[in-house]
Amino acid sequence: MFDYKGKVVAVTGASSGLGKQMAEGYAQVGADLVLLARRVERLEASAKEWSEKYGVKVLPIACDVTKADSIANAVAKVDEVFGHVEVIVNDAGGEKGTGTPLVDYKKEDWDFTLNLDLTSVFAVTQAFVKLMQKAMAEGKQTYGRVINIASIYGMVGNTALPTIAYHTTKGAVVNFTRGAAAELATSGITVNAICPGYFYTELTTETLDSDFFQAFANTSVPMKRYGNAGELNSAAVFLGAEESSYVTGQILAVDGGYTCV
């Protein structure tokens, strides 16, 4: 199972962090890749490394997921180069105003976060699903998978750090996933979400290693640790696989048990 040879997987936010980790995880099981992010020089470096290391095709494309023309250009390039795409992983995201209490949160930061974390998921999903449907109609692929990267903060609140817009958008991504899954259920395209817990990345390491967060993890995460690089990859590979054809509308938390207590 889980042989991705000949399959194309596109990942947004693939220049760093969990997006980069998941992209490499797909390369390890033989998938050809489309790497999407604004920092194209980073994508190009990964493309060179992984194509040599894993023997797969890797297409880096500069893409700003908050801009419709940028998404359209990226999808057109994927269609031109590969003609099909089995999996789209919506990983790009972020938040402005992290740590700002609800009563002080700025409307412009709210708008920025909703556009980046929620509207982009709708726009990217719509564009790639259209390509999947076109390729399926032309006999170039037999199935499609949409995987949305939400967060444990889309399932619960938190007492560690005010992140009101992030909670809002990730919760919306969770139910967007369910709605899209129901709508596409008979089309051969599944839609699922992964809700990562606290993971080490280049952007989170300093915060997670602080005395406060170390103590927080020790009391709130049953495994009493954060996620390490690569520990999200198996969930992404599972949900994107051809064999996972009866799994749709599901929200999979990968969080060391954070949301089970």
Side-chain angles (χ1 to χ4, degrees), residues 212-229:
F212 171 81
F213 259 95
Q214 287 286 347
F216 179 76
N218 194 52
T219 57
S220 63
V221 181
M223 285 190 178
K224 298 186 182 301
R225 68 174 179 86
Y226 305 125
N228 295 311

Side-chain angles (χ1 to χ4, degrees), residues 4-248:
Y4 276 76
K5 187 175 182 180
K7 306 297 190 295
V8 177
V9 176
V11 182
T12 70
S15 61
S16 64
L18 297 179
K20 182 178 179 181
Q21 292 173 27
M22 288 184 288
E24 184 170 12
Y26 283 114
Q28 290 170 341
V29 292
D32 293 326
L33 297 176
V34 178
L35 306 181
L36 303 167
R38 290 175 299 174
R39 296 177 291 185
V40 70
E41 69 284 350
R42 290 195 174 202
L43 303 181
E44 290 170 345
S46 294
K48 183 177 186 301
E49 176 187 351
W50 297 341
S51 61
E52 295 173 355
K53 186 175 182 179
Y54 302 113
V56 298
K57 299 175 183 176
V58 186
L59 175 65
I61 304 176
C63 181
D64 184 340
V65 296
T66 66
K67 296 180 178 178
D69 59 343
S70 187
I71 297 170
N73 290 338
V75 171
K77 186 67 174 178
V78 174
D79 192 14
E80 175 189 340
V81 174
F82 290 112
H84 62 101
V85 58
E86 277 74 15
V87 182
I88 175 64
V89 180
N90 285 307
D91 177 70
E95 181 192 33
K96 272 191 176 180
T98 300
T100 305
L102 164 65
V103 295
D104 298 320
Y105 203 82
K106 296 179 180 178
K107 176 63 162 52
E108 57 265 32
D109 292 344
W110 174 270
D111 291 341
F112 174 91
T113 305
L114 261 65
N115 193 33
L116 176 59
D117 287 359
L118 177 58
T119 303
S120 71
V121 173
F122 158 74
V124 171
T125 298
Q126 183 182 65
F128 272 90
V129 164
K130 286 180 179 179
L131 176 55
M132 290 175 182
Q133 292 175 330
K134 173 176 174 287
M136 291 168 74
E138 294 172 350
K140 296 178 180 178
Q141 69 184 79
T142 57
Y143 71 95
R145 305 281 180 261
V146 178
I147 302 173
N148 299 319
I149 307 304
S151 169
I152 53 172
Y153 283 8
M155 304 173 72
V156 296
N158 92 93
T159 57
L161 188 70
T163 53
I164 188 62
Y166 194 76
H167 279 292
T168 303
T169 57
K170 293 304 184 179
V173 167
V174 164
N175 224 39
F176 170 82
T177 298
R178 296 187 180 111
E183 188 170 329
L184 296 170
T186 59
S187 70
I189 299 171
T190 66
V191 188
N192 294 285
I194 298 174
C195 290
Y198 299 107
F199 270 80
Y200 277 118
T201 70
E202 61 189 64
L203 294 179
T204 65
T205 296
E206 184 176 352
T207 299
L208 295 184
D209 279 343
S210 66
D211 291 342
F212 171 81
F213 259 95
Q214 287 286 347
F216 179 76
N218 194 52
T219 57
S220 63
V221 181
M223 285 190 178
K224 298 186 182 301
R225 68 174 179 86
Y226 305 125
N228 295 311
E231 288 191 302
L232 199 65
N233 296 0
S234 59
V237 168
F238 158 65
L239 291 176
E242 184 172 10
E243 294 87 349
S244 301
S245 52
Y246 204 53
V247 181
T248 197

